[in-house]
Amino acid sequence: MGMIARIARYEDKANYQSHYLGLLWQYLNPAIQVGIYFIIFGLGLQRHGIGGVPYILWMLIGIVPWFFMSQCFTGMSRSIFSKIGTISKMKFPVSILPTINMVSNLTSYFAMMVIVLIMLFCYHTPISLYWLQYFYYVLCMFALIFSLGILNSTISVIIRDYHVALQSVNRILFYISGVILNINDKNYPPLLRKIFSLNPFNYVIKGFRETFVYKKWFFDDPIMMIYFWSFVLLVLIIGCHLHMKFRNRFIDFI
């Protein structure tokens, strides 16, 4: 784990070394996007709160885990392909490359979580026992992203078009995961709301909101909990199987 953290930190410095503001962009980029979404959807289209929660707070709680998952979703998928030239020249544990990308995104994630806590206190949201399940949903977030990362990074090496397709999927997921729009709104058809609820990204985002503002335990919906972990386990098994099968032949696909 120490090696993963050191490499992730080096990657961050390398990516921003030619920028005047350097690593500060890890915090500025998500902050700017949050401001844009709030102006468009909060002030422009949806002035009222959702479920008794001010929209800016509702959106911020959901958009922070989304930024992390979204960046990892696309970044981990190209983590092996982007380093294939390097690992072909030296002995390197290829399997840790997706994890390195995930760790490198933690810096901006934790910074944004600090902003969430500040906003919660600004809106006089009391600390409760429900906040303890934050760690459960963080585990869900890591497990989901790790399983998808192993699978997507492997397929992206084998099939070049796969990563491009994932970028389009990522844009679609933004709107159907309940990040800025309330997908549980009764204006949507019941069947559509049910389909949206099967999105594992929505499970995590919804869980963050239930933890901090809606005060609902994760075990209150055991069916969705079982569905989520079954999905993660299935993707992890398929991803690990493909990764172990092709990891010694990655260079052959370049």
Side-chain angles (χ1 to χ4, degrees), residues 17-239:
Q17 65 178 352
S18 60
H19 298 69
Y20 288 113
L21 297 181
L23 293 176
L24 189 60
W25 281 111
Q26 286 187 310
Y27 314 113
L28 289 177
N29 278 329
I32 292 172
Q33 291 184 61
V34 167
I36 293 173
Y37 293 139
F38 175 65
I39 292 173
I40 296 175
F41 294 94
L43 300 179
L45 301 179
Q46 194 163 357
R47 298 178 181 274
H48 304 292
I50 297 177
V53 179
Y55 181 77
I56 180 60
L57 184 59
W58 182 91
M59 183 195 69
L60 187 61
I61 295 174
I63 211 168
V64 169
W66 165 256
F67 274 143
F68 176 76
M69 292 189 292
S70 174
Q71 289 172 347
C72 291
F73 184 71
T74 55
M76 294 173 74
S77 68
R78 64 173 181 268
S79 59
I80 296 178
F81 179 81
S82 62
K83 296 292 187 298
I84 199 70
T86 302
I87 62 180
S88 64
K89 300 174 184 177
M90 57 185 292
K91 188 175 181 180
F92 187 85
V94 182
S95 303
I96 70 171
L97 288 175
T99 309
I100 291 173
N101 181 273
M102 183 171 69
V103 172
S104 68
N105 288 312
L106 284 175
T107 303
S108 58
Y109 166 74
F110 286 128
M112 293 297 291
M113 276 306 303
V114 171
I115 297 177
V116 168
L117 293 175
I118 293 174
M119 289 293 293
L120 286 169
F121 290 128
C122 288
Y123 280 97
H124 307 289
T125 305
I127 300 175
S128 67
L129 285 175
Y130 292 92
W131 286 27
L132 291 176
Q133 68 182 356
Y134 165 76
F135 299 102
Y136 165 75
Y137 283 111
V138 167
L139 176 63
C140 291
M141 182 172 66
F142 287 164
L144 175 62
I145 289 303
F146 179 78
S147 60
L148 288 172
I150 290 293
L151 175 64
N152 292 336
S153 62
T154 302
I155 299 179
S156 293
V157 176
I158 302 171
I159 305 175
R160 298 287 188 87
D161 297 336
Y162 188 74
H163 175 69
V164 179
L166 284 180
Q167 292 177 317
S168 299
V169 171
N170 190 52
R171 296 188 189 98
I172 297 173
L173 286 173
F174 176 72
Y175 293 100
I176 67 173
S177 297
V179 182
I180 56 176
L181 300 175
N182 182 18
I183 60 175
N184 295 314
D185 194 308
K186 292 183 180 180
N187 291 326
Y188 293 108
L191 178 60
L192 194 60
R193 295 202 305 268
K194 185 64 176 178
I195 294 174
F196 287 163
S197 68
L198 296 177
N199 176 4
F201 287 84
N202 176 59
Y203 179 80
V204 175
I205 294 170
K206 182 181 177 183
F208 269 65
R209 290 178 177 137
E210 291 177 347
T211 295
F212 291 111
V213 292
Y214 289 132
K215 298 180 179 180
K216 181 179 178 181
W217 291 110
F218 67 91
F219 47 76
D220 287 343
D221 192 351
I223 295 178
M224 283 304 301
M225 181 175 65
I226 294 172
Y227 164 78
F228 174 83
W229 285 108
S230 298
F231 175 87
V232 169
L233 183 61
L234 177 63
V235 173
L236 183 61
I237 291 174
I238 297 174

